[in-house]
Short mmCIF file of all heavy atoms in Angstrom, two decimals:
data_model
loop_
_atom_site.label_atom_id
_atom_site.label_comp_id
_atom_site.label_asym_id
_atom_site.label_seq_id
_atom_site.Cartn_x
_atom_site.Cartn_y
_atom_site.Cartn_z
N TYR Z 33 -28.95 19.00 25.39
CA TYR Z 33 -28.28 20.08 26.10
C TYR Z 33 -28.84 21.35 25.72
O TYR Z 33 -29.04 22.34 26.50
CB TYR Z 33 -26.79 20.05 25.82
CG TYR Z 33 -26.02 20.91 26.82
CD1 TYR Z 33 -25.56 20.38 28.01
CD2 TYR Z 33 -25.83 22.25 26.62
CE1 TYR Z 33 -24.95 21.18 28.99
CE2 TYR Z 33 -25.17 23.13 27.53
CZ TYR Z 33 -24.85 22.59 28.76
OH TYR Z 33 -24.13 23.38 29.58
N PRO Z 106 -38.53 15.62 37.54
CA PRO Z 106 -38.63 16.10 38.94
C PRO Z 106 -37.41 17.11 39.30
O PRO Z 106 -37.53 17.76 40.37
CB PRO Z 106 -38.64 14.85 39.80
CG PRO Z 106 -39.01 13.69 38.87
CD PRO Z 106 -38.46 14.05 37.57
N THR Z 114 -26.77 18.55 40.45
CA THR Z 114 -27.69 17.50 41.00
C THR Z 114 -28.16 16.71 39.78
O THR Z 114 -28.22 15.44 39.81
CB THR Z 114 -28.86 18.25 41.66
OG1 THR Z 114 -28.29 18.99 42.87
CG2 THR Z 114 -29.77 17.18 42.30
N GLY Z 121 -26.01 8.45 37.60
CA GLY Z 121 -26.66 7.29 38.28
C GLY Z 121 -27.48 6.44 37.32
O GLY Z 121 -27.47 5.19 37.28
N ASN Z 128 -25.87 -1.88 34.13
CA ASN Z 128 -26.14 -3.07 34.82
C ASN Z 128 -27.21 -3.87 34.09
O ASN Z 128 -27.09 -5.10 33.94
CB ASN Z 128 -26.67 -2.80 36.30
CG ASN Z 128 -26.20 -3.95 37.23
OD1 ASN Z 128 -25.70 -3.69 38.38
ND2 ASN Z 128 -26.14 -5.17 36.71
N GLY Z 144 -25.08 -17.90 29.31
CA GLY Z 144 -25.10 -17.12 30.49
C GLY Z 144 -23.92 -16.81 31.32
O GLY Z 144 -23.83 -15.71 31.94
N ASN Z 145 -22.86 -17.70 31.19
CA ASN Z 145 -21.72 -17.45 32.01
C ASN Z 145 -20.76 -16.40 31.45
O ASN Z 145 -19.87 -16.15 32.17
CB ASN Z 145 -20.93 -18.73 32.27
CG ASN Z 145 -20.68 -19.49 30.94
OD1 ASN Z 145 -20.91 -19.02 30.03
ND2 ASN Z 145 -20.03 -20.57 31.11
N GLN Z 251 -20.29 -2.32 28.05
CA GLN Z 251 -19.67 -1.04 28.48
C GLN Z 251 -19.29 -0.17 27.23
O GLN Z 251 -18.59 0.89 27.36
CB GLN Z 251 -18.30 -1.26 29.22
CG GLN Z 251 -18.57 -1.71 30.67
CD GLN Z 251 -17.31 -2.19 31.37
OE1 GLN Z 251 -16.59 -2.90 30.89
NE2 GLN Z 251 -17.15 -1.71 32.67
N ARG Z 255 -17.33 4.62 26.20
CA ARG Z 255 -16.36 5.18 25.19
C ARG Z 255 -17.16 5.90 24.00
O ARG Z 255 -16.79 7.03 23.67
CB ARG Z 255 -15.57 4.07 24.61
CG ARG Z 255 -14.58 3.48 25.64
CD ARG Z 255 -13.40 4.38 25.65
NE ARG Z 255 -12.37 3.87 26.75
CZ ARG Z 255 -11.67 4.58 27.52
NH1 ARG Z 255 -11.63 5.84 27.31
NH2 ARG Z 255 -10.89 4.02 28.39
N PHE Z 261 -19.86 12.97 23.02
CA PHE Z 261 -19.90 14.24 23.73
C PHE Z 261 -18.78 15.08 23.35
O PHE Z 261 -19.03 16.41 23.15
CB PHE Z 261 -19.87 13.84 25.30
CG PHE Z 261 -20.04 15.14 26.09
CD1 PHE Z 261 -21.28 15.75 26.26
CD2 PHE Z 261 -18.80 15.73 26.72
CE1 PHE Z 261 -21.31 16.96 27.00
CE2 PHE Z 261 -18.92 16.88 27.42
CZ PHE Z 261 -20.13 17.51 27.44
N ILE Z 269 -21.66 22.99 21.64
CA ILE Z 269 -22.82 22.20 22.16
C ILE Z 269 -24.16 23.03 22.08
O ILE Z 269 -24.17 24.30 22.22
CB ILE Z 269 -22.59 21.81 23.61
CG1 ILE Z 269 -23.49 20.68 24.00
CG2 ILE Z 269 -22.66 22.95 24.64
CD1 ILE Z 269 -23.08 19.63 25.01
N ARG Z 296 -3.41 2.44 20.97
CA ARG Z 296 -3.59 2.45 22.44
C ARG Z 296 -3.61 3.94 22.99
O ARG Z 296 -3.92 4.19 24.00
CB ARG Z 296 -2.54 1.72 23.12
CG ARG Z 296 -1.12 2.06 22.76
CD ARG Z 296 -0.15 1.10 23.31
NE ARG Z 296 1.22 1.53 23.09
CZ ARG Z 296 2.27 1.52 23.92
NH1 ARG Z 296 2.06 0.94 25.09
NH2 ARG Z 296 3.36 1.98 23.63
N TRP Z 297 -3.12 4.91 22.10
CA TRP Z 297 -3.09 6.35 22.56
C TRP Z 297 -4.33 6.95 22.03
O TRP Z 297 -4.48 8.19 22.35
CB TRP Z 297 -1.81 7.00 22.20
CG TRP Z 297 -0.66 6.62 22.94
CD1 TRP Z 297 0.38 5.78 22.53
CD2 TRP Z 297 -0.31 6.90 24.26
NE1 TRP Z 297 1.40 5.55 23.52
CE2 TRP Z 297 0.83 6.28 24.64
CE3 TRP Z 297 -0.97 7.76 25.31
CZ2 TRP Z 297 1.45 6.36 25.92
CZ3 TRP Z 297 -0.35 7.92 26.50
CH2 TRP Z 297 0.79 7.24 26.82
N ASN Z 299 -7.64 6.91 22.55
CA ASN Z 299 -8.54 7.58 23.55
C ASN Z 299 -7.92 8.73 24.32
O ASN Z 299 -8.64 9.62 24.64
CB ASN Z 299 -8.96 6.41 24.64
CG ASN Z 299 -10.03 5.47 24.09
OD1 ASN Z 299 -10.73 5.85 23.30
ND2 ASN Z 299 -9.86 4.20 24.50
N PHE Z 303 -9.59 12.48 24.45
CA PHE Z 303 -9.88 13.26 25.63
C PHE Z 303 -9.01 14.45 25.74
O PHE Z 303 -9.46 15.43 26.33
CB PHE Z 303 -9.51 12.29 26.91
CG PHE Z 303 -10.70 11.36 27.24
CD1 PHE Z 303 -10.32 10.02 27.18
CD2 PHE Z 303 -11.91 11.88 27.44
CE1 PHE Z 303 -11.44 9.15 27.44
CE2 PHE Z 303 -12.99 10.97 27.74
CZ PHE Z 303 -12.69 9.62 27.76
N LEU Z 310 -12.48 22.58 25.70
CA LEU Z 310 -13.31 23.03 26.73
C LEU Z 310 -12.44 24.20 27.44
O LEU Z 310 -13.06 25.27 27.81
CB LEU Z 310 -13.53 22.01 27.86
CG LEU Z 310 -14.68 21.06 27.60
CD1 LEU Z 310 -14.96 20.00 28.57
CD2 LEU Z 310 -15.99 21.83 27.17
N VAL Z 311 -11.15 24.13 27.47
CA VAL Z 311 -10.33 25.16 28.14
C VAL Z 311 -10.26 26.28 27.29
O VAL Z 311 -10.40 27.51 27.76
CB VAL Z 311 -9.01 24.58 28.63
CG1 VAL Z 311 -8.10 25.67 29.08
CG2 VAL Z 311 -9.12 23.46 29.66
N ARG L 131 -11.72 27.79 35.92
CA ARG L 131 -12.65 28.83 35.50
C ARG L 131 -13.80 28.28 34.60
O ARG L 131 -14.69 29.08 34.33
CB ARG L 131 -11.85 29.89 34.74
CG ARG L 131 -11.21 29.44 33.48
CD ARG L 131 -10.24 30.43 32.98
NE ARG L 131 -9.63 29.92 31.77
CZ ARG L 131 -9.98 29.97 30.59
NH1 ARG L 131 -11.21 30.57 30.35
NH2 ARG L 131 -9.37 29.46 29.58
N LEU L 132 -13.82 27.06 34.30
CA LEU L 132 -14.96 26.48 33.53
C LEU L 132 -16.26 26.40 34.33
O LEU L 132 -16.23 26.38 35.52
CB LEU L 132 -14.51 25.15 33.00
CG LEU L 132 -13.38 24.93 32.04
CD1 LEU L 132 -13.07 23.59 31.67
CD2 LEU L 132 -13.81 25.77 30.81
N ARG L 133 -17.32 26.32 33.54
CA ARG L 133 -18.61 26.11 34.19
C ARG L 133 -18.66 24.76 34.93
O ARG L 133 -17.91 23.78 34.58
CB ARG L 133 -19.72 26.00 33.09
CG ARG L 133 -19.95 27.30 32.38
CD ARG L 133 -21.36 27.42 32.00
NE ARG L 133 -21.77 26.27 31.20
CZ ARG L 133 -21.94 26.28 29.91
NH1 ARG L 133 -21.80 27.46 29.27
NH2 ARG L 133 -22.46 25.23 29.29
N ASP L 135 -20.57 22.02 34.97
CA ASP L 135 -20.76 20.71 34.27
C ASP L 135 -19.55 20.44 33.27
O ASP L 135 -19.15 19.23 33.09
CB ASP L 135 -22.08 20.55 33.59
CG ASP L 135 -22.42 21.86 32.81
OD1 ASP L 135 -21.66 22.89 32.86
OD2 ASP L 135 -23.43 21.89 32.07
N TYR L 136 -18.95 21.53 32.72
CA TYR L 136 -17.92 21.29 31.89
C TYR L 136 -16.62 20.89 32.63
O TYR L 136 -15.92 20.02 32.21
CB TYR L 136 -17.65 22.63 31.05
CG TYR L 136 -18.31 22.84 29.89
CD1 TYR L 136 -19.54 22.12 29.58
CD2 TYR L 136 -18.04 23.83 29.03
CE1 TYR L 136 -20.22 22.24 28.42
CE2 TYR L 136 -18.74 24.00 27.74
CZ TYR L 136 -19.78 23.19 27.44
OH TYR L 136 -20.45 23.38 26.35
N ILE L 139 -16.80 17.27 33.31
CA ILE L 139 -16.37 16.27 32.16
C ILE L 139 -14.81 16.38 31.89
O ILE L 139 -14.22 15.43 31.69
CB ILE L 139 -17.09 16.84 30.85
CG1 ILE L 139 -18.61 16.63 31.07
CG2 ILE L 139 -16.56 16.16 29.70
CD1 ILE L 139 -19.14 15.24 31.24
N VAL L 140 -14.23 17.71 32.21
CA VAL L 140 -12.78 17.74 32.05
C VAL L 140 -12.10 16.80 33.13
O VAL L 140 -11.20 16.06 32.72
CB VAL L 140 -12.36 19.21 32.28
CG1 VAL L 140 -10.85 19.19 32.61
CG2 VAL L 140 -12.65 20.00 31.05
N GLU L 146 -9.49 9.40 32.62
CA GLU L 146 -9.30 8.53 31.58
C GLU L 146 -7.90 8.58 31.13
O GLU L 146 -7.20 7.58 30.77
CB GLU L 146 -10.30 8.62 30.65
CG GLU L 146 -11.74 8.32 30.94
CD GLU L 146 -11.96 6.87 31.47
OE1 GLU L 146 -11.61 6.00 30.85
OE2 GLU L 146 -12.31 6.79 32.63
N ASP L 150 -5.19 5.60 31.06
CA ASP L 150 -4.69 5.10 29.81
C ASP L 150 -3.16 5.27 29.76
O ASP L 150 -2.37 4.43 29.29
CB ASP L 150 -5.36 5.73 28.64
CG ASP L 150 -6.52 5.03 28.19
OD1 ASP L 150 -6.79 3.91 28.71
OD2 ASP L 150 -7.26 5.47 27.26
N ASN L 154 -0.18 2.57 29.18
CA ASN L 154 0.62 2.58 28.01
C ASN L 154 2.16 2.86 28.33
O ASN L 154 2.95 2.45 27.52
CB ASN L 154 0.12 3.66 27.06
CG ASN L 154 -1.16 3.23 26.51
OD1 ASN L 154 -1.56 2.07 26.63
ND2 ASN L 154 -1.95 4.27 25.96
N THR L 361 -23.09 -20.20 38.00
CA THR L 361 -22.41 -19.10 37.17
C THR L 361 -23.21 -19.05 35.84
O THR L 361 -22.92 -18.08 35.07
CB THR L 361 -21.04 -19.60 36.86
OG1 THR L 361 -20.90 -20.99 36.55
CG2 THR L 361 -20.14 -19.51 38.15
N GLU L 362 -24.07 -19.90 35.51
CA GLU L 362 -24.72 -19.79 34.23
C GLU L 362 -25.69 -18.71 34.30
O GLU L 362 -26.15 -18.21 33.25
CB GLU L 362 -25.59 -21.22 33.94
CG GLU L 362 -24.71 -22.37 33.59
CD GLU L 362 -24.07 -22.05 32.18
OE1 GLU L 362 -24.76 -21.82 31.28
OE2 GLU L 362 -22.88 -22.10 32.14
N ASN L 370 -22.81 -9.14 40.76
CA ASN L 370 -23.24 -8.48 39.45
C ASN L 370 -24.20 -7.28 39.64
O ASN L 370 -24.59 -6.59 38.63
CB ASN L 370 -23.85 -9.35 38.57
CG ASN L 370 -22.94 -10.41 37.86
OD1 ASN L 370 -21.72 -10.06 37.78
ND2 ASN L 370 -23.34 -11.42 37.26
N TYR L 373 -23.16 -2.07 39.80
CA TYR L 373 -23.58 -0.91 39.04
C TYR L 373 -24.93 -0.38 39.45
O TYR L 373 -25.10 0.82 39.65
CB TYR L 373 -23.48 -1.22 37.56
CG TYR L 373 -22.13 -1.47 36.91
CD1 TYR L 373 -21.68 -2.72 36.74
CD2 TYR L 373 -21.19 -0.42 36.78
CE1 TYR L 373 -20.42 -2.98 36.24
CE2 TYR L 373 -19.96 -0.62 36.23
CZ TYR L 373 -19.57 -1.87 36.01
OH TYR L 373 -18.38 -2.15 35.48
N LEU L 374 -25.84 -1.43 39.58
CA LEU L 374 -27.21 -1.15 39.93
C LEU L 374 -27.33 -0.35 41.14
O LEU L 374 -28.09 0.58 41.29
CB LEU L 374 -27.99 -2.38 39.90
CG LEU L 374 -29.52 -2.23 39.88
CD1 LEU L 374 -29.97 -1.48 38.54
CD2 LEU L 374 -30.16 -3.53 39.99
N GLY L 377 -25.81 3.08 40.89
CA GLY L 377 -26.79 3.93 40.14
C GLY L 377 -27.97 4.39 40.90
O GLY L 377 -28.34 5.43 40.95
N MET L 384 -30.29 11.89 44.88
CA MET L 384 -30.56 13.15 44.17
C MET L 384 -32.11 13.47 44.24
O MET L 384 -32.30 14.71 44.39
CB MET L 384 -30.09 13.11 42.72
CG MET L 384 -28.55 13.14 42.61
SD MET L 384 -27.82 14.64 43.26
CE MET L 384 -27.02 13.95 44.70
N ARG L 385 -32.86 12.55 44.15
CA ARG L 385 -34.36 12.83 44.00
C ARG L 385 -34.90 13.20 45.35
O ARG L 385 -35.66 14.15 45.49
CB ARG L 385 -35.02 11.55 43.42
CG ARG L 385 -36.47 11.60 43.32
CD ARG L 385 -36.86 12.37 42.13
NE ARG L 385 -38.38 12.29 42.01
CZ ARG L 385 -39.10 13.12 42.75
NH1 ARG L 385 -38.66 13.84 43.62
NH2 ARG L 385 -40.48 13.13 42.57
#
Side-chain angles (χ1 to χ4, degrees):
Chain Z
Y33 196 90
T114 305
N128 214 141
N145 53 359
Q251 282 172 317
R255 289 282 179 207
F261 181 75
I269 198 149
R296 57 188 184 139
W297 287 105
N299 283 325
F303 282 118
L310 283 180
V311 170
Chain L
R131 60 192 176 87
L132 293 177
R133 294 211 305 254
D135 45 355
Y136 275 13
I139 297 295
V140 164
E146 295 301 305
D150 274 355
N154 294 343
T361 49
E362 284 295 305
N370 283 342
Y373 291 103
L374 194 64
M384 286 300 109
R385 176 80 177 79

